[in-house]
Amino acid sequence: MSQGFSKDLNELMEFPKEGIFSTVLAKDEKYNYTLMCLGKGTDIDEHTSTKVGVVQVLKGKGTFKLFDKEIEMKPGVFIFMPKDAPHSLKAEENLAILLCLTL
């Protein structure tokens, strides 16, 4: 059993000129916590997940589309996604999010 740990997400953030930098923070068969840093202008096309997801915006701005609803991404925004929900996003500036997937 894990003893737990902590990480400073601000120190782990790396913003590429384009595309996505991601690092898995913790993962097992029931969950996956990933820090994702998207360079300004990066898009993630619409897709779905077989797991329940939560996105917490840590830094930057963007637009998240969940089903047909556009959500303004800014620090402090929490987005809950049921499994199989169609979603996409666009980073309007360098954008850091914590993505949490669970069964």
Side-chain angles (χ1 to χ4, degrees):
M1 177 175 258
S2 173
Q3 297 297 308
F5 62 89
S6 68
K7 295 188 180 204
D8 185 332
L9 300 181
N10 289 310
E11 288 181 3
L12 294 175
M13 289 179 193
E14 292 181 29
F15 296 99
K17 288 192 185 298
E18 58 184 38
I20 303 167
F21 165 80
S22 67
T23 185
V24 175
L25 304 168
K27 181 179 181 177
D28 76 5
E29 63 277 351
K30 295 180 184 169
Y31 60 80
N32 182 336
Y33 296 87
T34 303
L35 173 65
M36 298 180 69
C37 300
L38 292 79
K40 179 181 178 179
T42 299
D43 292 326
I44 297 178
D45 292 335
E46 186 174 288
H47 62 285
T48 61
S49 173
T50 58
K51 297 182 179 178
V52 171
V54 166
V55 171
Q56 169 119 25
V57 181
L58 304 172
K59 189 174 196 174
K61 293 184 180 175
T63 302
F64 193 95
K65 190 170 182 182
L66 178 61
F67 294 101
D68 291 325
K69 182 178 181 185
E70 287 195 357
I71 300 165
E72 180 185 358
M73 300 179 83
K74 60 185 177 184
V77 169
F78 174 94
I79 301 166
F80 175 83
M81 300 177 292
K83 73 177 197 169
D84 301 321
H87 59 281
S88 61
L89 68 91
K90 178 175 179 63
E92 293 160 12
E93 57 187 50
N94 284 346
L95 180 69
I97 62 173
L98 177 61
L99 173 65
C100 308
L101 299 174
T102 57
L103 289 179

